[in-house]
Amino acid sequence: MNAIGQSERAERLLWLGIETSCDETGVAVVEERSGRTRVIGALLTSQVNRHRPFGGIVPELAVREHARNLPLLVAQLLGGTGLAPMDLSGIAVTEGPGLASSLLIGNAYARAMGASLGLPVFGVNHLEGHLFSPFLEGAEPIPFPFLGLVASGGHTLLATVEGWNRYRIVSSTSDDAAGEALDKIARLLGLPYPGGPEIERLASKGNPKAFRFPRGFPETGDLRFSFSGVKTAVRYFLEQHSERRSEPLFLSDVAASLQDSVVRTLCEKALWAAREGGFRTLAASGGVLANRHLREGLEEGCRDAGLSCRMAPSALCTDNAVMIASAAALKSAAGIPASLGEDIDPGLPLAV
Ligand code: KG4
Ligand code: ZN
């Protein structure tokens, strides 16, 4: 596949983004002009209600939903934006990491559409989509280098970003991702999936200092993440205090306290790494960044440390196709040719 020609750069280019790595079917059209992006339209079909009775994502169900919804969403998006398929300049699709069968649906669709329309197909790493989502619709150039924090249901990592394709993982989780731990803890609290927003809701009435739950690798300068300890601690705590579950604010206090433990861990490690690494910008993204408590903590910490704090817009923290289309559009504008691996890669690393 060819990159879109340099000579066309001043024109508006339209990228269709497709995201099917997990349980959300996302499509978006993003316009790129002179290295700036603008969202023309985006649609997302959440499968949450289909998976909720099972307490987590059922891959077999996810794949059927993607297969059914993706063509409908693309038609609806193009119809709604008044665009014809021939108006598109390229197609961006998540090629990994994610659920193999879910990724395959998006990839097969993107390849077929690209081949039939003669359009370049740009494979985007899902984590790269998150990593750059704090700069969506930015008026300024991306401030390389920056330190990226991605906290989602599948990953929790810190990465240095020197430029496009120049990423180095500084730290990741040794067990659960932050969102994964929140989802599992929510189940212990009797809350539905996905647990992160449910815990935030319950925590809003609680006292974050009511109980002390452990934090993984709390020593200053230890950048490793671990969230299974807080999950286990909450499980034992709830078992030991089962008679208090009916007290009006007991579960709210538990939620607020455990949320505080997760948020503090994320904030302290990210801020320490950004300061010590001499970065001027901390860019945070991923589903967990939808959490208001975390956003406030990072904002305040960055302010105190004199860092520029960039966060993905709240509505675009969880999985979406805008971030996929934008990453492809900006990379293409930076002269990086579109390419799509031979196959999807459920374990595709951000950096090798
Ligand atoms: O980025 P994302 O949509 O999917 C992955 O790439 O994994 O992240 C989903 C995760 C889930 O674990 C969900 O519980 C968490 O993000 N999440 C939140 C909030 N909203 C979603 N966690 C804490 N607070 C929230 N408001
Ligand atoms: Zn994600």
Side-chain angles (χ1 to χ4, degrees), residues 299-322:
E299 220 156 52
E300 191 182 315
C302 282
R303 202 169 40 240
D304 292 348
L307 289 162
S308 162
C309 184
R310 304 293 296 268
M311 290 183 279
S314 294
L316 295 174
C317 287
T318 47
D319 293 347
N320 65 84
V322 171

Side-chain angles (χ1 to χ4, degrees), residues 149-352:
L149 165 70
V150 180
S152 70
H155 296 85
T156 298
L157 58 85
L158 290 168
T160 64
V161 183
E162 301 282 339
W164 291 109
N165 291 345
R166 293 174 57 206
Y167 320 135
R168 190 172 66 82
I169 307 275
V170 176
S171 148
S172 56
T173 178
S174 32
D175 40 58
D176 290 348
E180 180 184 7
L182 291 172
D183 292 340
K184 290 175 177 171
I185 295 171
R187 230 192 288 185
L188 301 172
L189 292 166
L191 299 171
Y193 171 85
E198 297 291 335
I199 288 179
E200 180 170 16
R201 213 164 293 137
L202 187 60
S204 65
K205 294 187 222 86
N207 172 10
K209 293 194 168 51
F211 309 113
R212 259 182 91 86
F213 292 116
R215 291 162 48 191
F217 304 117
E219 298 77 22
T220 305
D222 189 336
L223 294 179
R224 288 171 297 170
F225 291 105
S226 166
F227 296 102
S228 68
V230 61
K231 176 189 67 189
T232 309
V234 172
R235 168 143 54 88
Y236 288 137
F237 186 82
L238 290 173
E239 278 169 17
Q240 282 157 11
H241 298 88
S242 56
E243 77 291 348
R244 295 187 61 188
R245 282 184 88 114
S246 54
E247 284 177 24
L249 282 179
F250 176 69
L251 291 181
S252 291
D253 285 344
V254 172
S257 303
L258 76 89
Q259 176 181 257
D260 195 60
S261 153
V262 171
V263 164
R264 274 178 197 276
T265 298
L266 290 169
C267 286
E268 283 178 17
K269 290 184 193 286
L271 288 163
W272 192 90
R275 270 196 318 264
E276 294 300 307
F279 289 93
R280 298 176 63 174
T281 306
L282 174 65
S285 57
V288 181
L289 261 291
N291 187 284
R292 209 167 43 83
H293 194 48
L294 175 56
R295 296 179 82 85
E296 286 169 2
L298 286 177
E299 220 156 52
E300 191 182 315
C302 282
R303 202 169 40 240
D304 292 348
L307 289 162
S308 162
C309 184
R310 304 293 296 268
M311 290 183 279
S314 294
L316 295 174
C317 287
T318 47
D319 293 347
N320 65 84
V322 171
M323 67 182 191
I324 302 302
S326 298
L330 291 173
K331 287 182 87 167
S332 183
I336 296 164
S339 71
L340 184 65
E342 296 266 291
D343 197 0
I344 53 100
D345 184 351
L348 188 68
L350 177 65
V352 279

Side-chain angles (χ1 to χ4, degrees), residues 46-69:
S46 172
Q47 303 177 5
V48 161
N49 291 335
R50 300 280 288 142
H51 297 277
R52 190 163 273 164
F54 304 96
I57 295 157
V58 183
E60 164 84 16
L61 257 183
V63 74
R64 288 173 187 217
E65 292 290 312
H66 286 311
R68 193 172 48 167
N69 293 328

